[in-house]
C-alpha cells in the first residue's frame, strides 16, 4: 500500500475521484499519477517526472500535448463565439464549415454529418438512426446489431452492448439483440492447419449463417473497426472486408466503419477503410477528429444513408435526437484545424514515413522468445506476450504479465497500455526518431526485466 503525504495531489485524487478502467489494487500499491501538463509526446506529473506517452493519451492526442495552432484555434473561437447548439434550425458557422470539410475528406461523394460529444455517443446515435429508419421504412423488426468479439465501441448502454468484451456482464449487458461474431484475428483464432484465406472464408460463412439464423429482415446494421483498437490492435485477416461486405450488401445490411481510432491517420491513410480498401455506408469518427483537444464525435453518413434518413425524417418533420453540445463551435473550429494539421501540415506524412521504422524497431524487440506476435499497421501496434511461442500458450492470468510490463515501463518514464496479454504502442504522429528510440529502449528493457521475473 502506497502512502501519500496528506493533502498531496495523489491523496486528494484517491479521496474524491472515481477511476474508470483502472486496476485498483495496482493503484493502491503503486499510487496514482496526477498530470499537470504535456510537452510534445511527453506528459509531466505533479512531481515533475516526464513520461513518453506512447499511447497518445487514449489514441487521440495525435499532435502531441502542446500544439500551439490547435490551442490558438480554440482560443480564437472562444473569443468569437464560445458555445452553441445545433437545434431548432440554428448552428454555428464553424459547424457548417466542418460538415463540408468532413464530407470533402470522407470516402463519400456526398453525405451528411451529425455531431456528438464522444465516440460512444456517435455509435449510439448511429444505432438510433438505424432503428429510426427501420420504423420509418415499415420494418420495425429490423433492430438487431452485429459486431465482433473483442470489438470496442464505447460505454453507453448501446455502445457497450456493441462492445464484445466480457466485462460488460457486470452491467447486465449486452442488451438483447446485440450479436457478436468471431474476432478476425487469424494468429489467435485460426485453427490448426487452416490458412489465413480459409480463416477469412470461415468468418464469412459464419456471417451468412448468423444472418440465416436470425433472419436478414431483423438485422439493422453491422459495425466494425477497420483495425480493432482496444481489442488489442487486431488488423483484419487478409480479405476480411472484401469477404463480408458483399454478404451484407446482398442482405441489405449497412456496414458502419467505427473509425474512432483509425480515422485521421492512425493506419497511415485518412481512414482505416481506405487502408483496407472498402467503402462503408457510414463512418463513426472521434478522437483524432479534434486531435484530442476537444471532446467530439461525428456520424458521417454516405449518400444512400443520407437519402434514406432524409426520407424517413420528412413525414414526421424532425429527427428527435441531439446533444446540448452537438456541433459545439469551439469543437468544430478545433476539428477544422486538426484536420488541416493532420492532412495538410504533415502529420499523416509523418505516420507514413515513420511506420516502417516503428515496425522494424518493434520487430527487433519481438525476437524475444516470450513475444508470440507483433501486429499492427501505421502507428498502432501490439506485442503479445506468451509463455510458449510455438504453442501460442499465454502466461497464467494471475501473473498479470502485460500489467507488469506496462508498470515497469511507467517506472522508467514510458506509458504503454496493457490489453489482455498484449502491450499496445500508438504514439502521437509527431514522435521523432530519437523519441521512438527512447520508446524502443525502455520497452525492451521492461520486457526483459518482466520476462526474467516470470519465465
Ligand atoms: N469506438 C472505438 C473504436 C473506440 O476505440 C472508442 C474509444 O476508445 C469508442 C468507440 C468510444 O469512444 P469514447 O470513449 O469517446 O466514448
Amino acid at each position: 500500500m502506497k502512502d501519500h503525504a496528506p493533502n498531496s495531489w495523489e491523496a486528494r485524487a484517491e479521496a474524491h475521484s472515481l477511476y474508470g478502467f483502472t486496476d485498483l489494487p495496482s493503484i493502491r500499491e503503486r499510487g496514482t499519477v496526477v498530470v499537470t501538463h504535456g510537452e510534445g509526446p511527453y506528459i509531466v506529473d505533479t512531481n515533475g517526472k516526464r513520461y513518453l506517452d506512447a499511447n497518445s493519451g487514449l489514441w487521440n492526442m495525435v499532435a502531441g500535448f502542446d500544439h500551439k495552432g490547435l490551442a490558438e484555434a480554440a482560443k480564437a473561437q472562444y473569443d468569437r463565439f464560445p458555445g452553441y447548439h445545433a437545434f431548432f434550425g440554428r448552428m454555428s458557422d464553424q459547424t457548417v464549415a466542418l460538415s463540408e470539410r468532413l464530407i470533402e475528406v470522407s470516402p463519400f461523394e456526398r453525405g451528411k454529418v451529425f455531431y456528438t460529444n464522444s465516440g460512444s455517443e456517435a455509435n449510439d446515435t448511429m444505432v438510433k438512426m438505424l432503428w429510426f429508419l427501420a420504423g420509418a421504412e415499415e420494418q420495425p423488426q429490423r433492430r438487431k446489431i452485429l459486431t465482433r468479439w473483442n470489438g470496442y465501441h464505447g460505454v453507453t448502454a448501446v455502445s457497450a452492448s456493441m462492445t464484445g468484451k466480457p466485462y460488460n456482464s457486470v452491467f447486465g449487458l449486452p442488451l438483447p439483440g446485440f450479436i457478436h461474431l468471431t474476432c478476425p484475428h487469424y494468429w489467435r483464432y485460426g485453427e490448426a492447419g487452416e490458412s489465413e484465406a480459409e480463416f477469412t472464408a470461415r468468418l464469412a460463412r459464419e456471417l451468412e449463417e448468423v444472418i440465416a439464423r436470425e433472419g436478414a429482415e431483423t438485422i439493422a446494421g453491422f459495425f466494425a473497426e477497420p483495425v480493432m483498437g482496444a481489442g488489442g490492435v487486431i488488423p483484419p485477416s487478409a480479405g476480411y472486408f472484401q469477404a463480408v461486405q458483399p454478404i451484407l450488401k446482398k442482405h441489405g445490411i449497412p456496414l458502419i466503419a467505427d473509425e474512432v481510432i483509425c480515422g485521421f491517420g492512425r493506419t497511415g491513410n485518412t481512414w482505416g477503410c481506405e487502408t483496407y480498401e472498402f467503402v462503408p455506408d457510414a463512418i463513426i469518427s472521434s478522437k483524432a477528429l479534434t486531435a484530442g483537444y476537444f471532446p467530439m464525435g461525428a456520424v458521417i453518413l454516405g449518400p444512400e444513408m443520407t437519402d434514406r434518413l432524409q426520407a424517413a425524417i420528412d413525414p414526421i418533420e424532425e429527427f428527435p435526437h441531439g446533444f446540448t453540445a452537438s456541433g459545439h463551435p469551439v469543437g468544430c473550429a478545433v476539428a477544422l484545424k486538426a484536420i488541416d494539421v493532420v492532412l495538410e501540415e504533415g502529420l499523416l506524412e509523418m505516420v507514413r514515413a515513420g511506420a516502417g521504422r516503428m515496425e522494424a524497431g518493434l520487430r527487433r524487440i519481438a525476437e524475444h522468445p516470450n513475444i508470440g506476435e507483433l501486429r499492427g499497421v501505421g502507428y498502432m501496434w501490439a506485442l503479445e506476450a506468451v509463455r510458449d511461442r510455438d504453442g501460442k500458450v499465454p502466461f497464467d492470468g494471475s501473473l498479470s504479465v502485460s500489467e507488469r510490463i506496462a508498470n515497469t515501463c511507467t517506472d522508467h518514464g514510458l506509458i504503454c497500455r496493457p490489453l489482455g496479454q498484449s502491450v499496445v504502442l500508438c504514439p502521437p504522429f509527431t514522435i521523432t526518431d530519437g523519441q521512438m528510440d527512447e520508446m524502443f529502449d525502455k520497452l525492451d528493457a521492461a520486457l526483459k526485466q518482466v520476462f526474467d521475473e516470470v519465465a
Side-chain angles (χ1 to χ4, degrees):
M1 183 78 142
K2 179 124 177 177
D3 278 332
H4 297 302
N7 218 28
S8 64
W9 282 106
E10 291 78 6
R12 288 164 60 194
E14 284 175 36
H16 301 296
S17 297
L18 261 177
Y19 289 90
F21 286 116
T22 297
D23 178 44
L24 294 178
S26 156
I27 289 297
R28 282 189 198 114
E29 196 187 310
R30 296 172 46 80
T32 62
V33 175
V34 180
V35 182
T36 55
H37 64 287
E39 294 163 3
Y42 297 89
I43 55 165
V44 184
D45 73 13
T46 44
N47 302 312
K49 179 169 174 177
R50 275 156 61 93
Y51 306 80
L52 176 57
D53 191 338
N55 279 151
S56 309
L58 275 177
W59 317 82
N60 53 344
M61 306 300 292
V62 296
F65 296 94
D66 60 357
H67 194 283
K68 295 274 174 297
L70 287 163
E72 272 155 21
K75 280 184 216 145
Q77 185 58 35
Y78 273 121
D79 284 342
R80 231 178 121 237
F81 190 39
Y84 209 62
H85 57 76
F87 284 25
F88 318 130
R90 295 189 286 278
M91 64 174 64
S92 80
D93 54 358
Q94 300 302 301
T95 316
V96 175
L98 178 60
S99 300
E100 278 170 4
R101 186 82 171 107
L102 280 173
I103 297 303
E104 185 182 274
V105 302
S106 79
F108 309 130
E109 74 269 13
R110 64 186 176 83
K112 285 198 176 178
V113 183
F114 196 96
Y115 296 100
T116 67
N117 306 295
S118 67
S120 303
E121 291 166 329
N123 277 313
D124 224 293
T125 296
M126 186 72 236
V127 170
K128 282 182 76 179
M129 285 177 174
L130 293 168
W131 288 346
F132 180 76
L133 278 182
E137 294 175 354
E138 293 182 5
Q139 297 192 14
Q141 77 294 340
R142 198 181 264 281
R143 293 181 66 83
K144 292 178 191 158
I145 300 293
L146 304 183
T147 59
R148 290 95 44 84
W149 286 111
N150 283 329
Y152 183 89
H153 300 285
V155 295
T156 57
V158 160
S159 59
S161 295
M162 295 161 65
T163 292
K165 300 274 196 175
Y167 54 68
N168 278 315
S169 64
V170 299
F171 302 106
L173 296 172
L175 296 167
F178 288 79
I179 297 164
H180 301 101
L181 301 161
T182 299
C183 169
H185 185 187
Y186 173 59
W187 178 82
R188 176 49 72 202
Y189 301 111
E191 286 168 0
E194 187 178 46
S195 71
E196 189 163 350
E198 286 163 352
F199 174 71
T200 299
R202 172 156 65 85
L203 267 48
R205 272 199 310 281
E206 178 197 42
L207 175 62
E208 285 275 22
E209 283 158 17
V210 168
I211 294 173
R213 183 189 75 208
E214 301 291 329
E217 73 289 350
T218 69
I219 301 172
F222 176 97
F223 287 68
E225 299 157 87
V227 180
M228 287 181 174
V233 184
I234 300 170
S237 57
Y240 177 80
F241 285 103
Q242 287 63 38
V244 298
Q245 191 166 32
I247 299 170
L248 297 167
K249 274 211 165 89
K250 183 170 79 186
H251 294 288
I253 300 168
L255 166 58
I256 318 299
D258 182 342
E259 296 262 7
V260 167
I261 285 176
C262 296
F264 294 107
R266 185 57 73 186
T267 67
N269 287 300
T270 306
W271 303 107
C273 60
E274 208 178 320
T275 302
Y276 293 98
E277 299 179 326
F278 68 99
V279 177
D281 295 289
I283 285 177
I284 306 301
S285 179
S286 188
K287 296 200 189 271
L289 169 62
T290 57
Y293 280 57
F294 199 91
M296 175 178 274
V299 174
I300 309 172
L301 299 174
E304 193 190 327
M305 294 301 292
T306 299
D307 292 345
R308 285 175 61 194
L309 195 71
Q310 196 56 56
I313 293 169
D314 285 342
I316 66 161
E317 298 180 344
E318 77 174 52
F319 179 53
H321 180 77
F323 303 90
T324 300
S326 294
H328 192 289
V330 177
C332 291
V334 171
L336 282 162
K337 179 65 185 171
I339 294 172
D340 279 352
V341 167
V342 172
L343 301 186
E344 318 290 346
E345 295 173 25
L347 262 63
L348 179 57
E349 294 312 319
M350 291 173 94
V351 178
R352 287 190 175 142
R357 192 171 193 283
M358 174 116 171
E359 178 173 0
L362 292 175
R363 231 171 251 298
R364 277 193 303 278
I365 295 173
E367 280 166 19
H368 196 287
N370 290 112
I371 296 296
E373 188 189 37
L374 168 69
R375 52 179 183 264
V377 64
Y379 269 9
M380 57 190 301
W381 293 85
L383 290 158
E384 177 125 1
V386 283
R387 186 165 58 73
D388 164 31
R389 182 190 263 177
D390 294 336
K392 301 182 186 173
V393 183
F395 280 101
D396 192 303
S398 64
L399 291 170
S400 304
V401 167
S402 58
E403 284 82 2
R404 279 196 205 202
I405 297 167
N407 288 341
T408 310
C409 285
T410 309
D411 291 344
H412 295 118
L414 172 70
I415 292 180
C416 56
R417 181 167 169 195
L419 272 170
Q421 300 235 336
S422 7
V423 178
V424 167
L425 289 312
C426 49
F429 302 169
T430 49
I431 192 168
T432 63
D433 286 355
Q435 291 159 348
M436 205 182 265
D437 288 342
E438 179 187 339
M439 178 180 84
F440 296 147
D441 291 347
K442 289 183 168 165
L443 178 65
D444 196 30
L447 287 173
K448 286 187 176 133
Q449 183 181 328
V450 172
F451 291 144
D452 278 351
E453 285 165 17
V454 298

mmCIF file of all heavy atoms in Angstrom, residues 205-226:
data_model
loop_
_atom_site.group_PDB
_atom_site.id
_atom_site.type_symbol
_atom_site.label_atom_id
_atom_site.label_comp_id
_atom_site.label_asym_id
_atom_site.label_seq_id
_atom_site.Cartn_x
_atom_site.Cartn_y
_atom_site.Cartn_z
ATOM 1 N N ARG A 205 -18.563 -17.334 -43.819
ATOM 2 C CA ARG A 205 -19.641 -18.353 -43.707
ATOM 3 C C ARG A 205 -20.416 -18.159 -42.406
ATOM 4 O O ARG A 205 -21.641 -18.260 -42.375
ATOM 5 C CB ARG A 205 -19.036 -19.762 -43.726
ATOM 6 C CG ARG A 205 -18.871 -20.339 -45.123
ATOM 7 C CD ARG A 205 -18.731 -21.863 -45.089
ATOM 8 N NE ARG A 205 -17.737 -22.345 -44.141
ATOM 9 C CZ ARG A 205 -16.407 -22.356 -44.344
ATOM 10 N NH1 ARG A 205 -15.917 -21.883 -45.476
ATOM 11 N NH2 ARG A 205 -15.586 -22.817 -43.424
ATOM 12 N N GLU A 206 -19.683 -17.857 -41.341
ATOM 13 C CA GLU A 206 -20.351 -17.617 -40.049
ATOM 14 C C GLU A 206 -21.348 -16.460 -40.179
ATOM 15 O O GLU A 206 -22.476 -16.531 -39.683
ATOM 16 C CB GLU A 206 -19.307 -17.291 -38.967
ATOM 17 C CG GLU A 206 -19.930 -16.986 -37.615
ATOM 18 C CD GLU A 206 -18.974 -16.275 -36.653
ATOM 19 O OE1 GLU A 206 -18.236 -15.364 -37.079
ATOM 20 O OE2 GLU A 206 -18.974 -16.633 -35.467
ATOM 21 N N LEU A 207 -20.921 -15.402 -40.873
ATOM 22 C CA LEU A 207 -21.820 -14.250 -41.056
ATOM 23 C C LEU A 207 -23.075 -14.696 -41.803
ATOM 24 O O LEU A 207 -24.198 -14.357 -41.406
ATOM 25 C CB LEU A 207 -21.077 -13.130 -41.810
ATOM 26 C CG LEU A 207 -21.917 -11.911 -42.181
ATOM 27 C CD1 LEU A 207 -22.462 -11.207 -40.931
ATOM 28 C CD2 LEU A 207 -21.091 -10.917 -43.016
ATOM 29 N N GLU A 208 -22.890 -15.457 -42.885
ATOM 30 C CA GLU A 208 -24.047 -15.970 -43.652
ATOM 31 C C GLU A 208 -24.970 -16.771 -42.736
ATOM 32 O O GLU A 208 -26.192 -16.615 -42.782
ATOM 33 C CB GLU A 208 -23.576 -16.906 -44.782
ATOM 34 C CG GLU A 208 -22.958 -16.225 -45.990
ATOM 35 C CD GLU A 208 -23.986 -15.773 -47.013
ATOM 36 O OE1 GLU A 208 -25.167 -15.586 -46.654
ATOM 37 O OE2 GLU A 208 -23.582 -15.581 -48.171
ATOM 38 N N GLU A 209 -24.352 -17.629 -41.905
ATOM 39 C CA GLU A 209 -25.154 -18.499 -41.037
ATOM 40 C C GLU A 209 -25.927 -17.689 -40.000
ATOM 41 O O GLU A 209 -27.093 -17.968 -39.735
ATOM 42 C CB GLU A 209 -24.243 -19.521 -40.328
ATOM 43 C CG GLU A 209 -23.817 -20.659 -41.254
ATOM 44 C CD GLU A 209 -22.535 -21.373 -40.785
ATOM 45 O OE1 GLU A 209 -22.141 -21.217 -39.603
ATOM 46 O OE2 GLU A 209 -21.938 -22.062 -41.628
ATOM 47 N N VAL A 210 -25.253 -16.682 -39.431
ATOM 48 C CA VAL A 210 -25.934 -15.862 -38.415
ATOM 49 C C VAL A 210 -27.094 -15.106 -39.061
ATOM 50 O O VAL A 210 -28.196 -15.029 -38.492
ATOM 51 C CB VAL A 210 -24.935 -14.897 -37.729
ATOM 52 C CG1 VAL A 210 -25.657 -13.847 -36.905
ATOM 53 C CG2 VAL A 210 -23.971 -15.675 -36.845
ATOM 54 N N ILE A 211 -26.870 -14.603 -40.259
ATOM 55 C CA ILE A 211 -27.947 -13.864 -40.936
ATOM 56 C C ILE A 211 -29.118 -14.821 -41.233
ATOM 57 O O ILE A 211 -30.285 -14.480 -41.018
ATOM 58 C CB ILE A 211 -27.422 -13.195 -42.238
ATOM 59 C CG1 ILE A 211 -26.409 -12.103 -41.891
ATOM 60 C CG2 ILE A 211 -28.579 -12.609 -43.046
ATOM 61 C CD1 ILE A 211 -25.690 -11.491 -43.093
ATOM 62 N N ALA A 212 -28.779 -16.035 -41.657
ATOM 63 C CA ALA A 212 -29.843 -17.013 -41.960
ATOM 64 C C ALA A 212 -30.589 -17.387 -40.670
ATOM 65 O O ALA A 212 -31.825 -17.447 -40.642
ATOM 66 C CB ALA A 212 -29.237 -18.251 -42.609
ATOM 67 N N ARG A 213 -29.832 -17.579 -39.582
ATOM 68 C CA ARG A 213 -30.451 -17.986 -38.318
ATOM 69 C C ARG A 213 -31.362 -16.889 -37.752
ATOM 70 O O ARG A 213 -32.483 -17.138 -37.324
ATOM 71 C CB ARG A 213 -29.332 -18.301 -37.310
ATOM 72 C CG ARG A 213 -29.830 -18.811 -35.962
ATOM 73 C CD ARG A 213 -28.677 -18.889 -34.969
ATOM 74 N NE ARG A 213 -28.305 -17.574 -34.507
ATOM 75 C CZ ARG A 213 -27.075 -17.242 -34.092
ATOM 76 N NH1 ARG A 213 -26.085 -18.123 -34.109
ATOM 77 N NH2 ARG A 213 -26.823 -16.012 -33.674
ATOM 78 N N GLU A 214 -30.862 -15.653 -37.774
ATOM 79 C CA GLU A 214 -31.611 -14.554 -37.157
ATOM 80 C C GLU A 214 -32.700 -14.004 -38.076
ATOM 81 O O GLU A 214 -33.659 -13.412 -37.606
ATOM 82 C CB GLU A 214 -30.653 -13.399 -36.791
ATOM 83 C CG GLU A 214 -29.544 -13.793 -35.833
ATOM 84 C CD GLU A 214 -30.049 -14.095 -34.435
ATOM 85 O OE1 GLU A 214 -31.053 -13.489 -34.014
ATOM 86 O OE2 GLU A 214 -29.442 -14.952 -33.752
ATOM 87 N N GLY A 215 -32.475 -14.152 -39.392
ATOM 88 C CA GLY A 215 -33.362 -13.549 -40.385
ATOM 89 C C GLY A 215 -32.817 -12.193 -40.797
ATOM 90 O O GLY A 215 -32.734 -11.285 -39.958
ATOM 91 N N ALA A 216 -32.464 -12.051 -42.075
ATOM 92 C CA ALA A 216 -31.868 -10.783 -42.548
ATOM 93 C C ALA A 216 -32.775 -9.606 -42.232
ATOM 94 O O ALA A 216 -32.311 -8.509 -41.907
ATOM 95 C CB ALA A 216 -31.605 -10.864 -44.053
ATOM 96 N N GLU A 217 -34.089 -9.868 -42.276
ATOM 97 C CA GLU A 217 -35.056 -8.771 -42.088
ATOM 98 C C GLU A 217 -35.106 -8.286 -40.639
ATOM 99 O O GLU A 217 -35.794 -7.315 -40.352
ATOM 100 C CB GLU A 217 -36.445 -9.218 -42.588
ATOM 101 C CG GLU A 217 -37.190 -10.235 -41.715
ATOM 102 C CD GLU A 217 -36.591 -11.657 -41.718
ATOM 103 O OE1 GLU A 217 -35.701 -11.933 -42.537
ATOM 104 O OE2 GLU A 217 -37.009 -12.471 -40.872
ATOM 105 N N THR A 218 -34.334 -8.952 -39.731
ATOM 106 C CA THR A 218 -34.315 -8.491 -38.327
ATOM 107 C C THR A 218 -33.022 -7.733 -38.004
ATOM 108 O O THR A 218 -32.835 -7.301 -36.877
ATOM 109 C CB THR A 218 -34.436 -9.678 -37.339
ATOM 110 O OG1 THR A 218 -33.233 -10.459 -37.402
ATOM 111 C CG2 THR A 218 -35.639 -10.549 -37.634
ATOM 112 N N ILE A 219 -32.114 -7.628 -38.989
ATOM 113 C CA ILE A 219 -30.791 -7.056 -38.692
ATOM 114 C C ILE A 219 -30.684 -5.631 -39.226
ATOM 115 O O ILE A 219 -30.893 -5.379 -40.416
ATOM 116 C CB ILE A 219 -29.678 -7.963 -39.267
ATOM 117 C CG1 ILE A 219 -29.796 -9.371 -38.635
ATOM 118 C CG2 ILE A 219 -28.305 -7.363 -39.001
ATOM 119 C CD1 ILE A 219 -28.902 -10.408 -39.235
ATOM 120 N N ALA A 220 -30.340 -4.701 -38.318
ATOM 121 C CA ALA A 220 -30.312 -3.276 -38.687
ATOM 122 C C ALA A 220 -28.956 -2.853 -39.237
ATOM 123 O O ALA A 220 -28.890 -1.949 -40.072
ATOM 124 C CB ALA A 220 -30.663 -2.424 -37.475
ATOM 125 N N GLY A 221 -27.871 -3.459 -38.752
ATOM 126 C CA GLY A 221 -26.558 -3.000 -39.216
ATOM 127 C C GLY A 221 -25.426 -3.841 -38.662
ATOM 128 O O GLY A 221 -25.605 -4.595 -37.696
ATOM 129 N N PHE A 222 -24.270 -3.707 -39.302
ATOM 130 C CA PHE A 222 -23.043 -4.401 -38.907
ATOM 131 C C PHE A 222 -21.993 -3.322 -38.672
ATOM 132 O O PHE A 222 -21.738 -2.497 -39.556
ATOM 133 C CB PHE A 222 -22.628 -5.334 -40.053
ATOM 134 C CG PHE A 222 -21.324 -6.070 -39.879
ATOM 135 C CD1 PHE A 222 -21.294 -7.372 -39.409
ATOM 136 C CD2 PHE A 222 -20.106 -5.481 -40.248
ATOM 137 C CE1 PHE A 222 -20.090 -8.074 -39.280
ATOM 138 C CE2 PHE A 222 -18.903 -6.171 -40.122
ATOM 139 C CZ PHE A 222 -18.898 -7.474 -39.641
ATOM 140 N N PHE A 223 -21.424 -3.295 -37.464
ATOM 141 C CA PHE A 223 -20.415 -2.285 -37.113
ATOM 142 C C PHE A 223 -19.062 -2.970 -36.972
ATOM 143 O O PHE A 223 -18.963 -4.018 -36.328
ATOM 144 C CB PHE A 223 -20.721 -1.630 -35.770
ATOM 145 C CG PHE A 223 -21.879 -0.668 -35.772
ATOM 146 C CD1 PHE A 223 -23.178 -1.112 -35.955
ATOM 147 C CD2 PHE A 223 -21.664 0.693 -35.560
ATOM 148 C CE1 PHE A 223 -24.250 -0.228 -35.933
ATOM 149 C CE2 PHE A 223 -22.726 1.593 -35.531
ATOM 150 C CZ PHE A 223 -24.020 1.131 -35.724
ATOM 151 N N ALA A 224 -18.019 -2.342 -37.525
ATOM 152 C CA ALA A 224 -16.681 -2.919 -37.388
ATOM 153 C C ALA A 224 -15.634 -1.823 -37.369
ATOM 154 O O ALA A 224 -15.704 -0.872 -38.154
ATOM 155 C CB ALA A 224 -16.398 -3.873 -38.550
ATOM 156 N N GLU A 225 -14.662 -1.972 -36.473
ATOM 157 C CA GLU A 225 -13.467 -1.132 -36.542
ATOM 158 C C GLU A 225 -12.594 -1.698 -37.670
ATOM 159 O O GLU A 225 -12.383 -2.917 -37.710
ATOM 160 C CB GLU A 225 -12.665 -1.227 -35.251
ATOM 161 C CG GLU A 225 -13.373 -0.769 -33.998
ATOM 162 C CD GLU A 225 -12.745 -1.409 -32.754
ATOM 163 O OE1 GLU A 225 -11.782 -0.862 -32.229
ATOM 164 O OE2 GLU A 225 -13.224 -2.466 -32.319
ATOM 165 N N PRO A 226 -12.065 -0.856 -38.541
ATOM 166 C CA PRO A 226 -11.159 -1.394 -39.584
ATOM 167 C C PRO A 226 -10.012 -2.190 -38.957
ATOM 168 O O PRO A 226 -9.741 -3.314 -39.372
ATOM 169 C CB PRO A 226 -10.683 -0.138 -40.311
ATOM 170 C CG PRO A 226 -11.821 0.824 -40.148
ATOM 171 C CD PRO A 226 -12.370 0.563 -38.771
#
